Amino acid sequence: MMQRKMRGRGVAASWYGIARTATVDRAGAWAELDDGGTAKVVTGVTEIGEGILTVLAQIAAEETGVRPEDVTIGDNDTARSPEAAHAGATRQTYMIGNSVALACREAREKLFTEIAAHWDVEAATLVAFDGVLRAEGTNLAMSMAEAVDICKKRGVVPVGSGHFTSHGTGLDPVDGSGRPWQAYVFGTQVAEVEVDTVTGEVQVLGIWAAHDIGRVINPRGVEGQIEGGVVQGLGQALMEDYQTVNGHTTTHGFAKYILPTSLDVPEITSVLVEDPDPLSPLGAKGIGEPALVPTAPAIMNAIHDAIGVRIKSLPASPEKVLAALAEEEARQDGAVAAE
Amino acid sequence: MPEIDLSLQVNGRKVTRRADPGQRLLDFLRDELNLTGTKEGCGAGECGTCSVFVDGKLVKSCLMPAAKADGAVIETVEGLAKPGTLEVIQRAFHKTGASQCGYCIPGMVMAATSVLREAPEASLDEIKERMGGNICRCTGYSKIIEAVELARDVVSGKATPAALEEDGPGESYIGTNVRRLDAPSKVTGRLKYAGDMVMPDMLHMAVLRSPHAHAEILSIDTSEAEAMEGVACVITSEDVPGTDGFGVFVHDQPIMARGKVRHVGEAVAAVAAETETLARLAARKIKVEYRELPGLFSPEDALKDGAPVIHDYAPDNLVKHIPIRKGDVDKGFAEADLIIEDEFSTQQVEHAYLEPEAGLAYVDADDVVTVISPSQNITHHRHMLSEIIAKPINKVRFIMSPVGGGFGGKEDMIYQGMLALAAMKTFRPVRLVFTREESIIASAKRHPSKVRYRMGLKSDGRITAIKFEMLSDGGAYGMSSEGVMRKAAILSCGPYEVDNIQVDTRAVYTNNTPSGAFRTFGGMQAQFATESMVDIAAERLGLDPFEIRRRNMMRAGSLTHTQQRLDSASIDRVLEAAERASNWEAGAVGMRGPERGDLNGPGTRAPCTLGARFERPAGGKEKVA
Ligand code: FES
Ligand code: FES
């Protein structure tokens, strides 16, 4: 006999490709080490909320030696910035991030060449970090602001450009063979649910989400992507359902189209696994889309673990859960009767 | 319309204005006072993006007539902190990374402020319940809730203000929790999204949409609308100077219906007028004569012989079929000890980004047609628009405004073309802001998909063959269907190395709301089926679900379903990490819940019963809006 509240756990694994699919993906960026020890980075992107501007500022800071808050970024204008293309396909960190890294390296190299000559040291000994430039093995140090000033007085504006390519190939039209991506990520999520066998309501109480994202640029940002992806996956698993009748929607507002709220959210434990990409300067891959893939199947597998029925048609609404339970009960009764 | 005098206090300043009596407080704040930090996510009291304090009480300003606020004291997000500074709650949002797209954030900050004011010692559960009337589509709420807890602790003295400071960089800025650079502008409501932007001399656009799912357009009479005072222009597909058609893969969608409509909500004509109200009024004056055509509402029907044809170029209603073949499936099934077959389906899903579509277009002094919008692909949109308006690429300029949530739903150029045309026709800036209803009926959804699955396995759990067939409803236009089918096919059989594979994914045209790009681009629908099948197989074979996945997982050197050799595959590491983090108790798949020892441990929350969370109901008057 089943109790009213039943708990269970399920797991699902997943994989995903980074950047545009089955094509040559590319992006470009420009960089300049600017007055006052700041950096100007010109790319064709802005935020869609994923945190790309902060990620790019971190990358520019790391590559040039200024601080992230000293980076000016985000131009998102086809008439003023190089091609960045699509803000999607889990490609921002990979495509634009690597372009920015390469552009910044070129600008830094110009600066380092001038400062090395100024100090009469090898350029290879120079290190810049957090607004200060030093020559290793010496006491020589100056602020990035001074460094840019000296570089410019020597007649050089330290600018750079960079582009990055992801070499995908199209699929064969007959057997589908091909190399759609050069970088792949993998993920696994475990869900713990409680099912109310009287109302059919499912609550997700915990999600453990382990994802490979390559090298992590901003851990909190990655967690935010995982949490957002998990909750969208949960919405699709349990409640969201766009409905039409003869092409007319019957879910035309948020009163009818039900979305997860803060009350539906499980505790989410993110585990960031780093398997750096060997084909790119940064080694970072991505997380935007892959975070959502395993959530719904992990929840469905957990429902099965809890109450012994499998929901194969999303969403697992209370009505569907109750119907599946009733069907299972009838099946078992039938089996008993047949014995 | 008779106007009324309003006198109120807003953010500490006295405001006196004449207002239209029907105006909502939300419009009064946004349009009259330019306080655009207060957002309209739904206009129906369902999302909380418009939250403000009226006489100290948190109110959804989209539901309140401005007239009712006469004499009231109003506080908006702009008034929480002195310009250039942040309140504790805003700093906490900044610290925890609570803002993503930011569109819900002003409302969230207001709701959180209300929590701190009314229940300064609120427990985690009470915070969640009090914030339950505010929707966020990006963050999964976790970091927002964390921010409220942090602010609560700082305010109560349980945590020091230092807890709000940024972590130092250590030795590198990579791998560091640098705070989001865009957060201050989002938590203060300062950031302007396209719908918040105004230009001098700007016109407002309203769109006339199809009431039919499939109909021939016999005539469009715009004369009455055009003759109205304050109407600057009316546009239809006749006004398109170049080659009409856009789409991420096939350019099968005209910027306004041409000859026929293919789904309810499709744009048919648009008006640009001095005010939004006038534009909507004029749009209703456009007369369109339709002849209804038989519609297709299921993908199975679309494939039947003699089914109505939706696009002439595709007489079989097929948008795209992607096949993948690897090895020999017959041989694989012959070798199997167990063969299981099943079917899975996923529903149509709305992106529900909190920012409805909006854009602003103008023609600049160099004759460059410029469109500002939260487009997820300005590079491609510029190409398509240049063909549509027959101008060279350098005379078309797209500026991507901050996107208030996209998730793939803002990749389709469903309104930018109309804005460009109206700007070209009037040489004035034109702005269009969708209502939530428009956004829902006119924008693409996640493909609803059905999968028929056949899997063969050895008794040790090794998969010997998979036959996977997916049929997806692409809706009325191609949009991203081709790419979604491709990605679904490539990823279909999951992170497993399977020697014998036969995969077919198909998307077809119907007269339903179009399906398009949506976070995972088909990967979710396909892998839902695979991960369910693997669990069913584990149940039949008496295997632990982690174990069956390990026996099949890809490794360095594996050949993927598209026969790509992998140099590395981290699936072993993520399986182990999830197993360990969740303290997974190994055991064969079955109804194990009642016997499990790993339930209810760290990493889970308590189940909730709505309304049972308030620990200290204040005189029984506590109520969550
Ligand atoms: S609740 Fe007012 S706009 Fe959504
Ligand atoms: S950050 Fe909440 S809706 Fe985007």
Side-chain angles (χ1 to χ4, degrees):
Chain A
M1 186 57 201
M2 243 189 244
Q3 289 174 332
R4 172 161 184 184
K5 306 276 177 86
M6 301 288 285
R7 286 210 187 183
R9 286 181 149 205
V11 58
S14 62
W15 70 322
Y16 211 76
I18 298 299
R20 303 197 66 193
T21 308
T23 185
V24 177
D25 198 358
R26 72 274 169 177
W30 299 329
E32 179 187 356
L33 278 158
D34 205 349
D35 294 342
T38 64
K40 195 191 292 163
V41 174
V42 186
T43 79
V45 293
T46 194
E47 280 291 334
I48 70 168
E50 77 283 60
I52 187 61
L53 295 183
T54 308
V55 162
L56 295 181
Q58 285 179 258
I59 292 167
E62 186 71 11
E63 296 292 342
T64 61
V66 306
R67 299 171 309 162
E69 59 265 40
D70 296 327
V71 180
T72 304
I73 207 161
D75 300 85
N76 53 75
D77 181 335
T78 56
R80 303 291 182 270
S81 50
E83 171 170 332
H86 179 191
T90 312
R91 69 188 283 283
Q92 299 291 78
T93 301
Y94 195 63
M95 300 305 302
I96 321 294
N98 283 311
S99 304
V100 166
L102 293 168
C104 287
R105 278 180 198 182
E106 195 177 304
R108 176 188 68 195
E109 219 172 277
K110 292 200 177 122
L111 180 90
F112 279 14
T113 305
E114 296 308 312
I115 302 301
H118 173 77
W119 273 339
D120 194 19
V121 298
E122 289 293 320
T125 66
L126 297 189
V127 197
F129 178 62
D130 210 22
V132 181
L133 177 59
R134 303 171 195 284
E136 280 191 320
T138 74
N139 290 329
L140 297 167
M142 65 170 79
S143 70
M144 284 298 285
E146 275 176 272
V148 171
D149 189 47
I150 290 168
C151 181
K152 286 196 175 176
K153 289 203 170 110
R154 293 173 63 90
V156 174
V157 178
V159 292
S161 68
H163 75 271
F164 185 70
T165 318
S166 179
H167 299 275
T169 67
L171 302 187
D172 181 273
V174 176
D175 71 2
S177 62
R179 300 171 42 86
W181 300 288
Q182 67 180 29
Y184 286 86
V185 291
F186 295 82
T188 300
Q189 292 182 9
V190 170
E192 182 167 327
V193 302
E194 181 177 280
V195 185
D196 184 328
T197 56
V198 172
T199 63
E201 189 202 1
V202 178
Q203 290 192 50
V204 183
L205 306 177
I207 293 275
W208 294 265
H211 288 271
D212 165 28
I213 50 265
R215 188 162 162 232
V216 176
I217 311 279
N218 188 314
R220 258 190 185 273
V222 173
E223 284 169 23
Q225 288 299 300
I226 292 177
E227 290 155 3
V230 162
V231 173
Q232 282 188 357
L234 181 153
Q236 174 156 18
L238 299 180
M239 59 192 86
E240 294 183 37
D241 202 357
Y242 180 80
Q243 288 283 346
T244 51
V245 174
N246 291 338
H248 292 260
T249 181
T250 53
T251 46
H252 26 58
F254 297 151
K256 289 278 174 55
Y257 188 85
I258 307 300
L259 293 163
T261 72
S262 55
L263 295 167
D264 300 302
V265 171
E267 188 163 332
I268 299 168
T269 306
S270 301
V271 188
L272 314 189
V273 174
E274 297 189 77
D275 179 29
D277 174 51
L279 301 174
S280 57
L282 286 171
K285 291 190 284 198
I287 186 62
E289 295 172 279
L292 187 151
V293 179
T295 310
I299 293 172
M300 295 311 124
N301 291 342
I303 293 174
H304 176 261
D305 190 61
I307 56 172
V309 302
R310 255 179 213 290
I311 306 295
K312 298 170 191 168
S313 149
L314 298 184
S317 60
E319 300 76 46
K320 271 191 213 162
V321 170
L322 289 181
L325 274 171
E327 199 179 303
E328 175 64 15
E329 209 173 308
R331 199 184 62 80
Q332 282 186 5
D333 287 351
V336 172
E339 268 170 24
Chain B
M1 218 175 285
E3 298 202 315
I4 49 161
D5 287 317
L6 281 186
S7 154
L8 55 168
Q9 191 190 312
V10 180
N11 296 334
R13 299 195 151 268
K14 198 166 173 327
V15 172
T16 314
R17 283 281 197 292
R18 307 220 71 172
D20 160 358
Q23 198 172 33
R24 305 172 299 174
L25 178 59
L26 172 64
D27 304 316
F28 181 77
L29 294 170
R30 289 178 55 83
D31 301 342
E32 304 292 329
L33 306 183
N34 258 316
L35 293 169
T36 53
T38 306
K39 308 286 180 202
E40 177 163 0
C42 71
E46 288 149 6
C47 74
T49 58
C50 63
S51 303
V52 299
F53 287 105
V54 177
D55 291 330
K57 203 173 158 293
L58 192 67
V59 159
K60 288 174 175 158
S61 63
C62 69
L63 294 181
M64 188 170 189
K68 271 192 83 179
D70 190 31
V73 176
I74 312 276
E75 224 182 323
T76 70
V77 70
E78 290 92 343
L80 289 183
K82 275 209 294 297
T85 68
L86 298 179
E87 271 296 304
V88 170
I89 184 66
Q90 292 165 320
R91 293 182 65 197
F93 269 61
H94 191 192
K95 170 68 189 258
T96 65
S99 59
Q100 289 190 18
C101 85
Y103 205 79
C104 72
I105 293 299
M108 286 288 181
V109 167
M110 297 304 275
T113 302
S114 149
V115 174
L116 297 179
R117 285 180 187 173
E118 288 182 18
E121 282 164 39
S123 65
L124 171 63
D125 280 351
E126 183 173 348
I127 292 172
K128 284 190 190 169
E129 185 141 346
R130 284 177 176 273
M131 307 281 292
N134 287 60
I135 294 173
C136 173
R137 189 54 156 168
C138 300
T139 63
Y141 303 97
S142 307
K143 302 230 175 312
I144 292 176
I145 302 296
E146 186 186 340
V148 184
E149 287 193 280
L150 173 61
R152 174 199 63 196
D153 291 349
V154 170
V155 170
S156 72
K158 238 185 275 166
T160 64
L164 300 167
E165 301 294 330
E166 180 158 40
D167 305 340
E171 286 177 0
S172 168
Y173 278 111
I174 304 289
T176 304
N177 288 322
V178 170
R179 288 181 307 190
R180 291 180 64 119
L181 304 172
D182 58 336
S185 72
K186 289 176 173 170
V187 298
T188 54
R190 255 194 298 129
L191 185 69
K192 299 280 186 199
Y193 298 82
D196 302 328
M197 296 177 188
V198 287
M199 286 183 83
D201 204 27
M202 181 176 90
L203 294 164
H204 297 262
M205 177 172 276
V207 179
L208 178 71
R209 298 185 176 281
S210 167
H212 301 296
H214 200 194
E216 192 183 332
I217 297 174
L218 301 176
S219 67
I220 304 182
D221 178 0
T222 60
S223 54
E224 197 182 332
E226 258 162 332
M228 283 169 70
E229 188 186 339
V231 168
C233 76
V234 179
I235 52 170
T236 67
S237 64
E238 302 255 296
D239 294 291
V240 174
T243 313
D244 200 358
F246 68 89
V248 177
F249 292 88
V250 351
H251 295 182
D252 60 353
Q253 184 164 9
I255 64 173
M256 283 167 284
R258 179 174 290 274
K260 73 173 184 171
V261 290
R262 297 179 174 87
H263 73 96
V264 175
E266 179 170 0
V268 175
V271 178
E274 299 297 334
T275 68
E276 206 175 317
T277 315
L278 196 56
R280 288 192 191 283
L281 223 64
R284 283 204 288 273
K285 296 272 152 73
I286 300 170
K287 292 187 196 72
V288 186
E289 254 188 293
Y290 295 99
R291 186 174 67 87
E292 280 196 70
L293 299 169
L296 279 175
F297 303 108
S298 87
E300 290 81 2
D301 287 349
L303 288 175
K304 283 186 185 143
D305 282 343
V309 173
I310 297 176
H311 290 268
D312 292 341
Y313 94 93
D316 50 2
N317 290 320
L318 185 67
V319 187
K320 194 70 188 178
H321 166 216
I322 303 284
I324 293 183
R325 302 287 181 268
K326 179 187 175 195
D328 176 347
V329 276
D330 292 336
K331 183 169 146 279
F333 283 117
E335 283 165 13
D337 299 321
L338 170 71
I339 293 176
I340 46 180
E341 280 179 300
D342 226 315
E343 290 184 22
F344 301 88
S345 69
T346 59
Q347 75 277 43
Q348 201 164 18
V349 180
E350 158 66 17
H351 297 84
Y353 26 72
L354 269 280
E355 177 208 28
E357 290 77 356
L360 181 54
Y362 57 91
V363 182
D364 78 6
D366 297 320
D367 275 333
V368 177
V369 178
T370 306
V371 183
I372 305 174
S373 70
S375 150
Q376 283 185 256
N377 196 340
I378 52 175
T379 306
H380 188 219
H381 286 188
R382 152 177 102 147
H383 283 131
M384 293 189 295
L385 188 62
S386 104
E387 300 274 330
I388 292 168
I389 62 175
K391 280 190 179 273
I393 287 270
N394 69 339
K395 293 292 177 192
V396 178
R397 178 181 180 194
F398 266 88
I399 298 174
M400 179 181 176
S401 54
V403 184
F407 317 117
K410 291 174 181 166
E411 289 180 17
D412 306 302
M413 204 178 72
I414 56 174
Y415 61 97
Q416 289 88 345
M418 292 187 284
L419 280 170
L421 272 195
M424 288 163 68
K425 226 175 156 179
T426 59
F427 269 76
R428 288 174 66 180
V430 186
R431 190 179 82 179
L432 169 63
V433 182
F434 280 24
T435 62
R436 175 56 58 188
E437 280 205 8
E438 266 185 297
S439 172
I440 286 182
I441 60 172
S443 72
K445 307 283 171 275
R446 185 188 293 290
H447 285 77
S449 296
K450 296 197 180 103
V451 174
R452 290 160 63 107
Y453 218 117
R454 187 159 199 255
M455 182 183 271
L457 301 102
K458 299 300 276 183
S459 50
D460 66 0
R462 280 287 308 175
I463 302 169
T464 59
I466 288 177
K467 207 171 154 210
F468 178 108
E469 244 180 294
M470 174 186 271
L471 179 60
S472 294
D473 186 346
Y477 288 101
M479 292 190 167
S480 288
S481 281
E482 174 177 337
V484 169
M485 289 306 100
R486 189 175 294 118
K487 204 160 193 168
I490 297 167
L491 297 171
S492 57
C493 303
Y496 309 112
E497 185 168 22
V498 180
D499 294 337
N500 307 298
I501 278 174
Q502 178 178 330
V503 174
D504 294 279
T505 59
R506 286 182 181 82
V508 297
Y509 286 118
T510 66
N511 296 108
N512 289 326
T513 316
S515 301
F518 195 154
R519 199 174 189 175
T520 81
F521 222 61
M524 179 272 154
Q525 294 95 315
Q527 293 183 68
F528 161 61
T530 295
E531 290 303 300
S532 298
M533 285 297 279
V534 171
D535 232 49
I536 293 169
E539 185 188 355
R540 298 282 297 273
L541 296 169
L543 288 171
D544 174 74
F546 278 94
E547 187 51 35
I548 191 169
R549 287 172 170 85
R550 285 200 180 94
R551 290 190 186 171
N552 290 289
M553 69 189 174
M554 291 178 180
R555 299 159 198 276
S558 285
L559 262 193
T560 65
H561 317 317
T562 63
Q563 302 179 53
Q564 175 176 0
R565 184 79 59 198
L566 290 183
D567 294 327
S568 82
S570 55
I571 176 76
D572 56 335
R573 294 178 59 195
V574 293
L575 280 170
E576 197 195 323
E579 193 175 23
R580 206 183 287 170
S582 64
N583 282 312
W584 180 266
E585 184 182 281
V589 170
M591 199 180 129
R592 295 179 56 219
E595 286 99 49
R596 276 179 174 276
D598 54 359
L599 296 174
N600 208 8
T604 57
R605 67 163 167 91
C608 70
T609 320
L610 198 66
R613 289 171 176 239
F614 289 98
E615 282 169 7
R616 300 165 292 101
K621 286 186 97 179
E622 292 287 284
K623 205 171 166 281
V624 204

